[in-house]
Amino acid sequence: MGKIIALANQKGGVGKTTTAMNLAASLATLEKKVLLVDADQQANASSGLGVDLSKVDVSVYDCLIRRVNPTQAIYTTDIENLDVLPSHINLAGAQVEMMNIPRREQLFRNMLQPIKDDYDYILIDCSPSLGVVTVSALTAANSIIIPVQCEYFALEGISKLLQSIKIVKQKLNPELEIEGFLLTMYDSRLRLANQIYDEVKRHFQELVFKTVIQRNVKLSEAPSHGLPAILYDADSTGAKNHLALAKEIIQKNK
């Protein structure tokens, strides 16, 4: 049975989508069967893994709102073992449409149920908000990875996110756990980055991943080529960091 991991932080620009697509690619490289579910209306994770958005007929929106079987929306990628359930701009309207659907928090769980056993890991790239789509994704997830940017306002908003996770856990999904806090965009030359690292470590202790995602040009360039870093430049720091993260997650879930 596959483990469902949501990547969420309502603060934008923390490297959430970059982590989602590169972690998915790294897990697949390590011979795990992986599905990346793009639950962000910007659909960057989909295009970053080579999905041509202009040719997407069935997306996560159709699976959630129109109850289309997700197998009709899944795309294969250039990496063996890695599939994508792409997003669409229509997902922006799903926030409103879902408000009228009974038990809307269960939509994601219901959507993934038929395919959960087909994968080792299902990663959900959530949008940078705590709207109803993200709440539904957290209701379906077994755990959550929280990317934290190594910059001044890093911890701002985390308490709100933790409060939301607590409410989802109490009312909708008692099994939801924090997989870990992941420090992203780390630059060891900056004193501030080291201060943020120490502060996050002090606050959350063993919940912080040992792996840190460093600032890396190749990591930024890769999505414009429709490739994860591991295919764009396997020797880059970004590719190596995400491979180390994937190994850490596999080890943790043995």
Side-chain angles (χ1 to χ4, degrees):
M1 184 180 283
K3 180 165 192 178
I4 302 173
I5 304 176
L7 288 96
N9 191 331
Q10 80 274 23
K11 190 175 186 298
V14 297
K16 178 181 51 58
T17 296
T18 301
T19 300
M21 43 185 278
N22 285 290
L23 174 58
S26 297
L27 286 166
T29 304
L30 295 169
E31 300 184 346
K32 299 296 179 184
K33 190 96 178 82
V34 184
L35 174 67
L36 177 62
V37 180
D38 192 347
D40 186 345
Q41 65 215 35
Q42 297 173 76
N44 291 337
S46 307
S47 60
L49 287 173
V51 176
D52 184 346
L53 297 176
S54 65
K55 294 181 178 160
V56 171
D57 297 320
V58 185
S59 70
V60 72
Y61 168 83
D62 303 287
C63 300
L64 281 174
I65 306 298
R66 293 177 38 225
R67 315 291 170 93
V68 173
N69 190 310
T71 54
Q72 292 180 243
I74 289 172
Y75 285 69
T76 55
T77 69
D78 291 338
I79 292 186
E80 194 180 348
N81 296 322
L82 177 57
D83 294 342
V84 180
L85 182 51
S87 186
H88 192 275
I89 191 64
N90 285 354
L91 197 61
Q95 300 278 5
V96 179
E97 292 176 68
M98 284 171 75
M99 297 310 286
N100 300 318
I101 298 175
R103 292 171 57 80
R104 56 185 174 269
E105 295 87 0
Q106 303 297 330
L107 289 179
F108 240 101
R109 181 178 277 166
N110 297 341
M111 175 183 80
L112 295 176
Q113 201 57 45
I115 54 171
K116 192 176 175 183
D117 294 342
D118 299 340
Y119 296 93
D120 297 308
Y121 291 95
I122 296 176
L123 302 184
I124 307 174
D125 182 30
C126 299
S127 67
S129 77
L130 292 174
V132 65
V133 175
T134 300
V135 168
S136 184
L138 293 178
T139 305
N142 302 113
S143 66
I144 175 172
I145 291 174
I146 302 170
V148 180
Q149 187 180 3
C150 288
E151 293 200 351
Y152 184 64
F153 293 114
L155 296 175
E156 194 180 76
I158 283 189
S159 58
K160 191 178 175 195
L161 178 62
L162 292 176
Q163 188 60 32
S164 300
I165 293 168
K166 190 176 171 187
I167 292 167
V168 170
K169 197 173 161 75
Q170 282 173 349
K171 302 195 171 173
L172 300 164
N173 181 7
E175 282 148 35
L176 183 64
E177 300 293 341
I178 293 175
E179 188 76 24
F181 290 85
L182 176 70
L183 287 146
T184 63
M185 304 183 196
Y186 178 74
D187 186 339
S188 59
R189 296 168 302 177
L190 301 176
R191 196 172 68 189
L192 178 66
N194 290 302
Q195 285 172 348
I196 300 288
Y197 178 85
D198 291 342
E199 198 174 337
V200 173
K201 204 76 173 134
R202 191 172 69 251
H203 271 280
F204 304 112
Q205 296 168 5
E206 73 282 353
L207 283 176
V208 182
F209 284 109
K210 291 185 181 72
T211 306
V212 172
I213 309 299
Q214 293 164 268
R215 275 199 184 277
N216 180 238
V217 175
K218 300 287 186 189
L219 207 51
S220 308
E221 290 174 354
S224 64
H225 297 270
L227 295 170
I230 205 159
L231 282 191
Y232 182 63
D233 184 352
D235 289 325
S236 67
T237 304
K240 288 175 179 173
N241 287 166
H242 284 95
L243 203 55
L245 176 64
K247 287 175 182 171
E248 194 176 337
I249 287 170
I250 291 169
Q251 188 64 37
K252 194 175 181 183
N253 288 286
K254 271 186 176 173

